[in-house]
Amino acid sequence: AEMVLARDVVGFETRGPVRAVRFADESSIAARTVLVASGVSYRLLDAPGLGELAGRGVYYGASASEARSCEGDDVYVVGAANSAGQAVLNIARYARRVVMLVRSDALDKAMSKYLVERIGATDNVEVRLHSEVVAGRGTDHLEGLTVLDHTTATKDDVSANWLFAFIGATPRTDWLGDDVVRDERGFVITGPDVLLRKECGSRWPLTRAPFALETSVPGVFAAGDVRLDSMKRVASAVGEGAMSVYLVHRYLATI
Ligand SMILES: Cc1cc2nc3c(=O)[nH]c(=O)nc-3n(C[C@H](O)[C@H](O)[C@H](O)COP(=O)(O)OP(=O)(O)OC[C@H]3O[C@@H](n4cnc5c(N)ncnc54)[C@H](O)[C@@H]3O)c2cc1C
């Protein structure tokens, strides 16, 4: 086995049975199969002062350990989809108060009803609609935020040591070019979906059905966050990686 470290893949191409990845210097590695596991980039808040505090009070996504670090503090959460709702309920178990900043006029626009109800029933969660963070402050760690209320057009400077943002993720799939079909957000379509999703049309070229995790290009597999409908968890990404080894062997036996 050979490992290539610290180099960005910038392109992908198929040449007959060859599946090749390309680097910025135009060199490439040719193989019979490729596993795409390039993950996602979390969308960042576009407000002055927050960029330099990422990882120091400002977090994109949250794990259980980060929620515990906020014990007894006030926590601000940006986002209004299910990931934000689940995080709010988790953080509320430890924080003194959780303030949800929601740009729209209602919480139930992008969040499941059961989460909206549970948030409504949690005493230490406050939901601020029509609100967004427009600035952050702090030297070594987040110390304060400026929150804009669109209803009153007023800005509020608040003390805050913790800000968690759940504003979406973009798959790192630009390098894949046109052959490997993705959905409208860029997530790689795999397995039975290759035959079912409209984006794939009649691209699948073989008489056999695609293997699980196989993309619209036979012999190219996708695992982890980059895959459409993946669970966005470490355990599932690792599991899919392990599963793809078996699937690669199955594919190699067919060519
Ligand atoms: C703040 C945060 C907290 C989280 N907490 C948890 C948690 O508590 N529990 C949990 O289960 N999950 C958690 N997750 C989710 C978990 O991290 C992901 O589900 C998991 O890492 C996905 O693994 P992956 O291999 O698909 O992608 P990644 O871990 O993102 O790995 C992708 C790799 O591909 C590389 N790459 C991308 N593009 C290219 C390219 N063009 N060329 C070369 N290399 C490239 C990247 O540099 C990266 O190393 C959290 C995520 C975040 C952001």
Side-chain angles (χ1 to χ4, degrees):
E2 188 183 338
M3 289 179 83
V4 180
L5 298 173
R7 290 186 73 185
D8 279 352
V9 169
V10 298
F12 166 80
E13 56 203 34
T14 54
R15 299 191 294 262
V18 170
R19 313 289 181 244
V21 292
R22 203 162 19 84
F23 300 104
D25 63 2
E26 289 301 318
S27 64
S28 65
I29 296 179
R32 296 290 163 157
T33 71
V34 167
L35 172 61
V36 178
S38 41
V40 297
S41 300
Y42 285 84
R43 234 170 261 147
L44 305 181
L45 287 163
D46 182 21
L50 291 181
E52 43 276 45
L53 294 169
R56 293 184 291 140
V58 178
Y59 299 94
Y60 293 91
S63 65
S65 61
E66 281 146 359
R68 278 196 199 99
S69 315
C70 314
E71 191 140 17
D73 282 347
D74 287 357
V75 176
Y76 285 76
V77 173
V78 176
N82 283 349
S83 55
Q86 281 155 359
V88 162
L89 292 171
N90 184 31
I91 295 167
R93 290 160 56 208
Y94 306 97
R96 188 174 76 94
R97 185 175 66 125
V98 183
V99 182
M100 275 191 94
L101 301 175
V102 178
R103 266 199 310 201
S104 67
D105 59 358
L107 200 52
D108 58 5
K109 289 209 159 146
M111 193 182 290
S112 300
K113 193 164 170 268
Y114 83 97
L115 285 171
V116 177
E117 286 171 359
R118 284 184 59 194
I119 286 170
T122 307
D123 288 340
N124 63 337
V125 177
E126 177 189 334
V127 180
R128 286 196 198 167
L129 302 175
H130 301 289
S131 296
E132 67 177 312
V133 173
V134 291
R137 290 172 296 287
T139 4
D140 295 328
H141 196 273
L142 179 69
E143 291 163 18
L145 297 169
T146 304
V147 178
L148 170 64
D149 182 330
H150 285 284
T151 322
T152 56
T154 51
K155 286 183 184 171
D156 191 11
D157 286 331
V158 296
S159 293
N161 294 126
W162 306 100
L163 172 69
F164 292 94
F166 300 85
I167 51 174
T170 311
R172 300 189 194 104
T173 50
D174 288 350
W175 61 275
L176 277 171
D178 294 334
D179 287 346
V180 177
V181 179
R182 279 95 77 194
D183 78 342
E184 73 284 358
R185 292 170 302 159
F187 288 96
V188 180
I189 297 172
T190 55
D193 282 347
V194 168
L195 300 180
L196 298 173
R197 301 271 308 197
K198 64 176 183 332
E199 297 91 332
C200 297
S202 53
R203 289 275 196 107
W204 182 249
L206 305 180
T207 49
R208 71 162 172 84
F211 296 127
L213 309 185
E214 196 169 25
T215 70
S216 56
V217 178
V220 177
F221 297 84
D225 285 6
V226 78
R227 207 174 60 75
L228 178 64
D229 287 338
S230 64
M231 286 180 63
K232 311 286 181 293
R233 308 308 290 164
V234 169
S236 53
V238 171
E240 289 179 8
M243 193 175 146
S244 55
V245 174
Y246 163 73
L247 296 170
V248 161
H249 283 292
R250 280 188 74 185
Y251 171 75
L252 291 175
T254 68
I255 57 171

